[in-house]
Every structure is written in C-alpha cells, then in structure tokens.
Amino acid sequence: MEPEDFFGTISGGRVLDVATGDGNFIHFLVDSLKDYTEIIGVDNNKDVAPSFSAAFRKQRNIHFQLMDAHKLDFGDESFDFVCISNSLHHLDPEPVLREMKRVLRPGGFLLVSEMFCDEQTEAQMTHVLLHHWWAAVDTVNGIDHRETYTRQQLLDMVAALGLNDLTTFDLNDLSEDPKSKDFLAQLEVVFESYNQRANGHPELQSRGAELKARAKEVGFHSATTLMAAGRK
Ligand SMILES: C[S@@+](CC[C@H](N)C(=O)[O-])C[C@H]1O[C@@H](n2cnc3c(N)ncnc32)[C@H](O)[C@@H]1O
C-alpha cells in the first residue's frame, strides 16, 4: 500500500504537528488525509511563525502556536491525530513522544516521519553525511541538532509507545539524476553558508570540503524516510 492510500482513509479531525517549522509537513497532511477539522502546528522558534502564517493564510483552520515540544500546553486526549516530521533528532525523543501520546485521544493516530542514517545508497549517504555535518556546525553555533537515528532506533522509539495497528512506510525517490548540475549548483550555496557558520572550526570546514568533493563524485539523493503510524 502507498502512503496516500493509507492516509486517504483517515479523517484527521483535530490534528497537531509538533516541531512544525514553516509547516512543510502540514502540506503533506492536507494533501493526504481524507479530511480534517483543524491543524495546529507548534514550534519553539518564533522566527518560523511568519513563514508558517504566510503559507496557510488562506486556510482559516490551520494555526501556529509557539511551544516547546517537551511540554505541550494542551489537555490530555485533546487531539485526534498527532505527528512529528524530521524533528526527533533536534529534541529529546522520549519525553516528546510521551507528550504526543498524552495529548492524543484513545484510538487516534500518532505518526512519526523521520529520515534515517543507515540502509542508504551511496548517493543517499551523501545526504546523511551532509546532514551530520550540518548537525555538527549547528552544535558549535549553540543549536540542538544531533546526527540522525538508524531505522531500528526509530522503530524502537515508536515500539516503546505501545501503539496498536502499527503501519510503516519507507519513502524515497531515486528517480532524479544524482549528479544533476542544477542541484549541485544549489548545494554549492548551502555549502557556502554552512562553511561560513563553521568559521573558527577548521576541522569542520575541511569536513565540508570533503563532502563537497563527495557530492560531485558520487552524487546526491535524499535519504530514505521512515513513516510509522499507529493507534493509541
Ligand atoms: C528540521 S525542522 C523540521 C520542520 C518540519 N517538521 C518539517 O518536516 O519540515 C526541525 C524543527 O524543530 C524545531 N524545534 C527544535 N527544538 C524544538 C523544541 N524544543 N520544541 C519545538 N520545536 C522545536 C525547530 O525550530 C525546527 O523548526
């Protein structure tokens, strides 16, 4: 079964997207869920609020709230669907997942979507290694950002929640040319910005240079994402 077929059968009801950023994952929810009544995105970074609001200005039932994912300011069992995308490696996963389960009603869906660092092709490993470099650069700049988890570590975190009817998907798209000149040119800009942020850390800058050479040599594909959803 494809994820669209699975999520297309689910009425989202009141939905919570934890660590929402500018709401990127909400676009997936809007496109995939059968329907929903309200979606709330929470994030602890106030700087993402304007881009979130701009993205959903036409949808009156999609809102942003400033909040720490480790201490959700919502009542027990107050959502029908609770999710988190590509953010567990920025957080302390155990308390965050516990909070997500607390605010979910019995029978509601909890969904974790996260890229993982193993079982990838060589071109996907460029993404994984780049991500680990970004995490190291963020860390020296005082931003919480860890390396991504293995697929099994993610499965273990979800298993510990004791959800029912667990369904998993491995999502990737290997159809693009991994050495696309356009894409490598875009990546160049990202290298430059992280390189500047690594000023004063020559070992991180040389790691960046090695990764730049790797991207040219073996190419780049986005790493596979695990989606795991189950009922409380
Ligand atoms: C890589 S972004 C993912 C954004 C979005 N979920 C997506 O899939 O594109 C990680 C997000 O986690 C947020 N974040 C980090 N620590 C957080 C915390 N303690 N509470 C809430 N959000 C947090 C960051 O501000 C950032 O927007």
Side-chain angles (χ1 to χ4, degrees), residues 7 26 67 69-70 72 76-77 109 129 131 161 191 209 211:
F7 291 107
I26 292 178
M67 202 176 292
H70 302 87
L72 296 174
D76 295 354
E77 304 178 3
F109 272 97
L129 294 169
H131 188 281
L161 293 168
F191 273 116
L211 285 169

Side-chain angles (χ1 to χ4, degrees), residues 17-25 42-45 48 67-70 84-87 89-91 96 113 131 144-145:
D17 182 37
V18 175
T20 194
D22 58 10
N24 187 37
F25 195 62
V42 297
D43 201 285
N44 74 340
N45 179 0
V48 300
M67 202 176 292
D68 183 354
H70 302 87
I84 187 162
S85 156
N86 278 328
S87 298
H89 63 284
H90 289 263
L91 305 159
V96 169
S113 179
H131 188 281
D144 284 340
H145 196 170

Side-chain angles (χ1 to χ4, degrees), residues 26-183:
I26 292 178
H27 297 290
F28 168 80
L29 298 173
V30 168
D31 291 345
S32 308
L33 290 171
K34 184 176 168 198
D35 50 38
Y36 59 90
T37 51
E38 180 187 22
I39 302 179
I40 299 178
V42 297
D43 201 285
N44 74 340
N45 179 0
K46 64 175 172 19
D47 295 342
V48 300
S51 45
F52 182 102
S53 303
F56 302 108
R57 67 184 181 285
K58 291 192 179 141
Q59 281 122 309
R60 280 188 301 154
N61 50 355
I62 301 182
H63 312 283
F64 178 85
Q65 287 190 35
L66 193 62
M67 202 176 292
D68 183 354
H70 302 87
K71 203 172 180 317
L72 296 174
D73 192 12
F74 297 110
D76 295 354
E77 304 178 3
S78 52
F79 287 90
D80 303 296
F81 188 106
V82 179
C83 57
I84 187 162
S85 156
N86 278 328
S87 298
L88 280 181
H89 63 284
H90 289 263
L91 305 159
D92 192 357
E94 199 270 330
V96 169
L97 291 169
R98 194 176 346 113
E99 276 290 88
M100 289 172 63
K101 190 175 175 193
R102 178 185 66 76
V103 301
L104 181 65
R105 72 162 167 83
F109 272 97
L110 193 150
L111 163 64
V112 170
S113 179
E114 184 95 357
M115 73 175 262
F116 50 89
C117 64
D118 57 341
E119 302 178 33
Q120 310 283 348
T121 66
E122 278 299 295
Q124 288 180 302
M125 274 315 289
T126 303
H127 184 198
V128 171
L129 294 169
L130 261 177
H131 188 281
H132 291 178
W133 178 57
W134 294 333
V137 174
D138 279 346
T139 301
V140 297
N141 283 281
I143 297 168
D144 284 340
H145 196 170
R146 296 157 213 214
E147 296 191 351
T148 46
Y149 298 104
T150 64
R151 187 174 186 280
Q152 190 59 51
Q153 283 174 316
L154 292 170
L155 286 173
D156 290 347
M157 286 177 206
V158 175
L161 293 168
L163 301 172
N164 299 309
D165 308 329
L166 195 66
T167 304
T168 61
F169 300 98
D170 284 335
L171 303 181
N172 62 30
D173 179 0
L174 306 180
S175 62
E176 297 288 323
D177 172 10
K179 295 186 187 175
S180 145
K181 284 206 167 52
D182 285 352
F183 184 77

